[in-house]
Amino acid sequence: MSSERLFTLSNRWFTTALGLTAGFAAAAALGGLVLLPYAQPNLKFSGIWDAICSAAGVSREAATVAPSAVEAKTSAVVMTSRMLNHPSAASIGHGGTLALQCAICHSGDNVTRSEFPYLAGQYAAVIYKELHDFKAGVRVNAIMGPFAAALTEQDMIDLAAYYSYLPRVPAYHPGPGAGEPAIVLSGAPLRNIPPCASCHGAADNKAGSPRLEGQSPVYLKTQLQAFASAARRNDISEQMRNIARRMTPAEIDQAASFYAERP
Amino acid sequence: MLSSKRLVLAHFWLAFTVFGLALLLGAWQMLVRSPLLAWISNPEWYYRSVTAHGTVMGYVFPTLIAMGFGYAISELALERPLIGQRWAWTGFGLVVVGAVMAMVPVSMGLASVLYTFYPPLIGSPFYYLGIVLVVVGSWIWVALMSLNLYVWKRDNPGKPVPLAMFANVAGSLLWGWTAVGAALELLLQILPVALGFRTTIDAGLARVFFSWTLHAIVYFWLMPAYIAYYTIIPRAIGGKLYSDSMARISFILFLVVAMPIGIHHLFTDPQVGAGFKFMHSALTALVALPTLLTVFTICASAEIAGRLRGGKGPFGWVAALPWRNPMMLAVTFSFVMLGFGGAGGLINMSFQLDASIHNTQWVTGHFHLIFGGAIVIMYFAIAYDLWPHLTGRALTSLGLMRAQLWLWFVGMIVTTFPWHYVGILGMPRRMAFYDFTNTALAPEALPVTISVFGGFLLVISGALFFVVLIKGQLAPKAEAGVYRFSIAIHPPTSVPVALNGYSLWLVLMIGLTVVNYGFPIAQLLALKNTSVPAVYVGAQP
């Protein structure tokens, strides 16, 4: 028996196994690549090879007309977790000097109630991205646009380094203390809204998301409304627009005041 | 005789220890997602736990069981000491180091990507490197099993390879080949991004590579259970194996057709052509064949046992079976769960029917019923059967064993049946939070609550399992006698060369893989502009 040869046409195990396997594979391929495409009445093929290519998933040009131009610009900033992590002292110092022209609106101490965002202790990547988007016209604002237009790449990096270096002075605006609203803690899964807290602080902070605790309530509310109306559109992959346009006005108020009141 | 008792015991103890921890995580996950508790508010904790649960249950636990059981089979079936014991310990060491290396970043929240990786999610490189080490450790086992078989065959020309070893090598070869898909994904796609050499990844191609591993890995998990069905159960219940050839053909069929069917996990993925989805669906249907053969053969073997014990008539033999024997209970429960799980699986594998339950809790229910139920209960049985031979101490708590198996069976049914039901209602899987106060989800609240209690039963059963083993470890020394596998009614004196080795079947396995995966992979490799930016998990701003 040990002399029995396996890979030979005279071995019935070999021929049967090979025949069954090849036969089954061929039948499956015939079914999937030929019969199945023709069984779909809405598909039209120029021939059998066309049908096979279609079923095999060969990609082809879907349309001959050029895609319509997108009117809005999209952000060119690629956010990574290691972005701008270890600024030099010189960068922070230069940023501090540049920031003198920002201080009239973005005070360093965060104690005044303001419609402008507080920046002390904000993540460097966030500051950098917003400045970049203002400069590129991806985020539009009558005041910030001209300021940003004059900034060089290095200026923006230095400003980001400076503001992230500043200690976060808790801007504590005690409110009625409505507790933690559901939209912040749980989101609204059935409307595809993730919890604010899972990216913006209170539960977790995700790279690329600004820290919102202690932020100006007026600013937060304005921005959520701007996302909802698509007046602001520099969010990555439309994440915030998709969220904000599904939020109710009451939820926008709750989220804004929750973060504003949080130390 | 076992000369590698410490080696086998080390694998089993580590396997069951990590299993116990992951079991607790699983129960916790069910509890925090249920209406019974207020939500934890941070999905990160949930996904961290799911990643740990899946990584341990999917990779570490079954791999260690297959390895430990495989070493035991090699010595017991070939009746000679294991060749390459030092290599085996090296493999074990790699699995240990890999498991720790993977679990540290997961515990720190730096790799909450779930055990299926889900690129473009990218976690800490140590997580992936840890898994690579686990797989490399298991490949040492794959090589050792073939080596031991080869040396035995060289010394015993023309003799039939003992069934247990034949099946064991089938399992190891299946794993060796099926792990290649995930290995390619990890080494060529994920690790370069995790290590910072690249920032984009072709997620579609990665999913195709993973599907290569994802389905056949289930059959790798299944192999120890099937080996136990054929080579332990008939002997343990006092019967004989109905057919040795049927067993060999079943394992060969698993080897050939379990692999090239993984695209049935990608029925809704746009990057694979419908034709290939159909081809994988058709071959998936074929995989039912070895399972049906097995159910038939084992039921026939049980009938032999029943009739040997005096059972008469068409059903009298069922009553005559040794129902107080834990092994009888284990195989019965395993078959019942395999039956329900398999029936559900027919829905998953059907190109059209899958659409109604794709990505729902139905799928979670399905693989828990098959793996957690039908397979893991046989892992318990294997441990109960081998333990006296490994420790030299008898397991005497038969009542506790029966209670443990009953609780596992009932617990798994109570856990997974409601999951199937809510899946039909449309409840998605992999969600950290369900708002059951919403009227659309309210009907799911009760079944989900019921399933949590199933989870509690499983935890109690898991605890009982440890009690049985620890009681055994504390019992006085008792010689367990010679270990033997089931004997077939007609023990093979000679088998065709095709049923005594794997060369032909490996050729067919690789050939079918090329037919079913070659084009989809080549096409995705050739397509330009298919990569998307990586999403770094656990990255702190």
Side-chain angles (χ1 to χ4, degrees):
Chain A
M1 192 204 77
S2 57
S3 60
E4 182 187 343
R5 286 184 57 213
L6 183 55
F7 290 93
T8 163
L9 291 178
S10 58
N11 188 318
R12 278 186 43 225
W13 282 95
F14 173 72
T15 46
T16 309
L18 191 65
L20 281 178
T21 310
F24 198 89
L30 183 74
L33 299 176
V34 180
L35 299 181
L36 197 65
Y38 278 113
Q40 299 177 68
N42 53 340
L43 293 182
K44 298 278 175 276
F45 301 109
S46 59
I48 189 167
W49 184 244
D50 188 33
I52 291 174
C53 289
S54 159
V58 175
S59 65
R60 46 187 142 187
E61 294 300 323
T64 47
V65 289
S68 56
V70 183
E71 67 219 59
K73 293 185 200 165
T74 47
S75 179
V77 180
V78 177
M79 298 288 273
T80 70
S81 57
R82 287 176 280 270
M83 193 164 164
L84 311 176
N85 257 358
H86 301 289
S88 67
S91 175
I92 296 170
H94 183 232
T97 312
L98 289 172
L100 290 174
Q101 49 183 321
C102 318
I104 189 167
C105 298
H106 300 287
S107 69
D109 56 13
N110 290 6
V111 287
T112 46
R113 261 187 182 270
S114 167
E115 62 193 88
F116 303 114
Y118 307 135
L119 301 183
Q122 188 55 275
Y123 301 117
V126 169
I127 305 265
Y128 170 80
K129 178 178 187 295
E130 297 310 316
L131 286 174
H132 206 284
D133 287 352
F134 279 127
K135 181 175 165 119
V138 180
R139 184 174 174 187
V140 182
N141 181 280
I143 305 171
M144 283 307 297
F147 269 107
L151 296 174
T152 66
E153 177 74 13
Q154 190 59 46
D155 289 344
M156 293 189 279
I157 291 173
D158 295 346
L159 277 166
Y162 170 69
Y163 277 113
S164 68
Y165 166 79
L166 284 185
R168 262 182 79 235
V169 182
Y172 193 41
H173 303 295
E180 295 167 324
I183 190 72
V184 171
L185 278 193
S186 313
L190 288 173
R191 280 177 282 149
N192 246 342
I193 303 178
C196 316
S198 60
C199 293
H200 291 289
D204 201 359
N205 291 287
K206 297 274 162 60
S209 314
R211 188 200 293 275
L212 298 187
E213 287 132 321
Q215 194 50 275
S216 152
V218 182
Y219 176 72
L220 288 176
K221 186 174 171 178
T222 321
Q223 294 309 309
L224 280 170
Q225 288 166 340
F227 278 129
S229 67
R232 179 176 169 186
R233 46 207 312 168
N234 73 323
D235 48 333
I236 300 167
S237 306
E238 217 168 317
Q239 284 179 87
M240 280 312 300
R241 273 172 284 172
N242 280 328
I243 291 169
R245 72 167 68 103
R246 293 191 182 102
M247 289 171 78
T248 64
E251 285 170 339
I252 288 182
D253 284 340
Q254 288 165 2
S257 57
F258 169 80
Y259 276 108
E261 288 167 23
R262 215 178 141 80
Chain B
M1 269 308 287
L2 269 168
S3 66
S4 302
K5 288 177 186 165
R6 286 186 55 214
L7 178 73
V8 177
L9 263 182
H11 281 81
F12 277 10
W13 265 124
L14 182 62
F16 287 122
T17 306
V18 294
F19 159 79
L21 295 173
L23 178 63
L24 292 176
L25 288 180
W28 177 82
Q29 287 155 215
M30 292 174 70
L31 181 62
V32 296
R33 291 200 316 180
S34 75
L36 293 173
L37 275 194
W39 190 45
I40 46 167
S41 296
N42 188 353
E44 218 302 302
W45 284 98
Y46 177 76
Y47 290 118
R48 199 180 293 194
S49 178
V50 177
T51 307
H53 176 83
T55 306
V56 166
M57 295 301 206
Y59 301 132
V60 184
F61 170 52
T63 305
L64 283 167
I65 294 284
M67 290 167 74
F69 190 35
Y71 293 135
I73 289 172
S74 178
E75 294 208 335
L76 294 169
L78 303 182
E79 295 173 335
R80 49 166 63 189
L82 181 74
I83 299 167
Q85 283 207 25
R86 198 174 292 172
W87 279 104
W89 277 109
T90 309
F92 178 73
L94 285 174
V95 174
V96 173
V97 173
V100 172
M101 194 194 261
M103 279 305 120
V104 169
V106 170
S107 313
M108 293 167 68
L110 300 176
S112 305
V113 295
L114 310 200
Y115 90 106
T116 35
F117 307 148
Y118 291 113
L121 289 183
I122 296 290
S124 159
F126 290 103
Y127 172 68
Y128 306 112
L129 288 171
I131 290 178
V132 169
L133 284 188
V134 171
V135 172
V136 171
S138 70
W139 277 347
I140 293 182
W141 165 75
V142 172
L144 285 180
M145 290 304 97
S146 285
L147 175 71
N148 277 276
L149 179 67
Y150 171 78
V151 173
W152 184 90
K153 280 174 93 169
R154 195 189 59 196
D155 298 345
N156 297 272
K159 276 200 193 167
V161 175
L163 176 63
M165 188 61 181
F166 185 80
N168 181 30
V169 173
S172 73
L173 292 173
L174 179 66
W175 174 237
W177 181 241
T178 194
V180 168
L184 290 172
E185 180 195 6
L186 283 174
L187 299 176
L188 303 180
Q189 294 197 273
I190 292 182
L191 272 171
V193 183
L195 291 168
F197 298 122
R198 256 186 263 154
T199 55
T200 60
I201 185 164
D202 186 341
L205 177 62
R207 288 174 63 81
V208 173
F209 274 137
F210 196 78
S211 81
W212 170 323
T213 296
L214 185 57
H215 199 72
I217 198 174
V218 180
Y219 292 95
F220 166 62
W221 300 338
L222 202 79
M223 280 295 182
Y226 272 60
I227 297 173
Y229 290 158
Y230 281 107
T231 67
I232 295 180
I233 294 297
R235 180 259 299 155
I237 62 172
K240 291 199 169 201
L241 176 61
Y242 176 70
S243 166
D244 181 87
S245 308
M246 197 90 97
R248 285 170 198 265
I249 290 172
S250 296
F251 286 107
I252 284 168
L253 279 172
F254 273 127
L255 188 63
V256 176
V257 296
M259 216 300 337
I261 60 177
I263 285 180
H264 74 237
H265 290 251
L266 307 182
F267 280 157
T268 61
D269 277 38
Q271 79 277 19
V272 181
F276 281 95
K277 289 173 179 168
F278 177 84
M279 289 162 69
H280 282 242
S281 182
L283 270 154
T284 312
L286 209 56
V287 139
L289 202 58
T291 293
L292 294 174
L293 278 180
T294 302
V295 171
F296 175 82
T297 311
I298 301 308
C299 287
S301 306
E303 183 179 348
I304 294 169
R307 296 203 185 278
L308 283 173
R309 293 167 60 91
K312 300 262 183 275
F315 297 108
W317 62 271
V318 178
L321 286 169
W323 290 109
R324 295 182 62 77
N325 181 339
M327 303 305 271
M328 190 66 230
L329 280 185
V331 70
T332 307
F333 294 154
S334 181
F335 272 17
V336 172
M337 292 190 278
L338 191 66
F340 281 115
L346 294 178
I347 311 287
N348 306 346
M349 58 135 262
S350 304
F351 196 10
Q352 294 86 353
L353 291 177
D354 170 73
S356 56
I357 46 86
H358 195 89
N359 247 338
T360 67
Q361 280 291 102
W362 169 285
V363 179
T364 323
H366 165 73
F367 68 75
H368 277 82
L369 194 50
I370 293 273
F371 177 47
I375 298 175
V376 169
I377 208 165
M378 290 311 292
Y379 290 180
F380 296 146
I382 291 168
Y384 288 154
D385 194 60
L386 275 181
W387 224 253
H389 298 269
L390 295 169
T391 60
R393 297 161 202 273
L395 292 182
T396 49
S397 331
L398 290 184
L400 268 185
M401 289 186 201
R402 285 194 294 269
Q404 189 263 327
L405 296 168
W406 267 107
L407 274 176
W408 192 264
F409 172 64
V410 174
M412 198 49 85
I413 296 283
V414 175
T415 301
T416 56
F417 278 32
W419 282 355
H420 280 84
Y421 173 64
V422 293
I424 295 172
L425 295 184
M427 184 177 186
R429 64 191 279 218
R430 300 193 196 101
M431 295 284 145
F433 172 64
Y434 301 93
D435 182 6
F436 293 109
T437 59
N438 190 298
T439 45
L441 299 195
E444 294 163 10
L446 180 63
V448 168
T449 307
I450 293 171
S451 76
V452 176
F453 287 96
F456 292 154
L457 292 181
L458 294 174
V459 170
I460 298 170
S461 172
L464 278 184
F465 176 69
F466 285 105
V467 170
V468 171
L469 292 193
I470 291 167
K471 276 184 81 174
Q473 212 81 32
L474 299 176
K477 285 265 182 199
E479 184 45 52
V482 179
Y483 189 89
R484 60 178 189 82
F485 294 101
S486 314
I487 297 168
I489 313 181
H490 305 290
T493 48
S494 75
V495 292
V497 67
L499 296 188
N500 210 33
Y502 282 108
S503 50
L504 171 61
W505 313 114
L506 286 178
V507 169
L508 292 181
M509 170 179 85
I510 293 172
L512 273 183
T513 308
V514 172
V515 168
N516 271 11
Y517 270 107
F519 182 79
I521 289 176
Q523 190 211 8
L524 288 170
L525 279 174
L527 272 181
K528 298 269 181 284
N529 298 322
T530 48
S531 291
V532 291
V535 176
Y536 294 92
V537 167
Q540 285 307 305

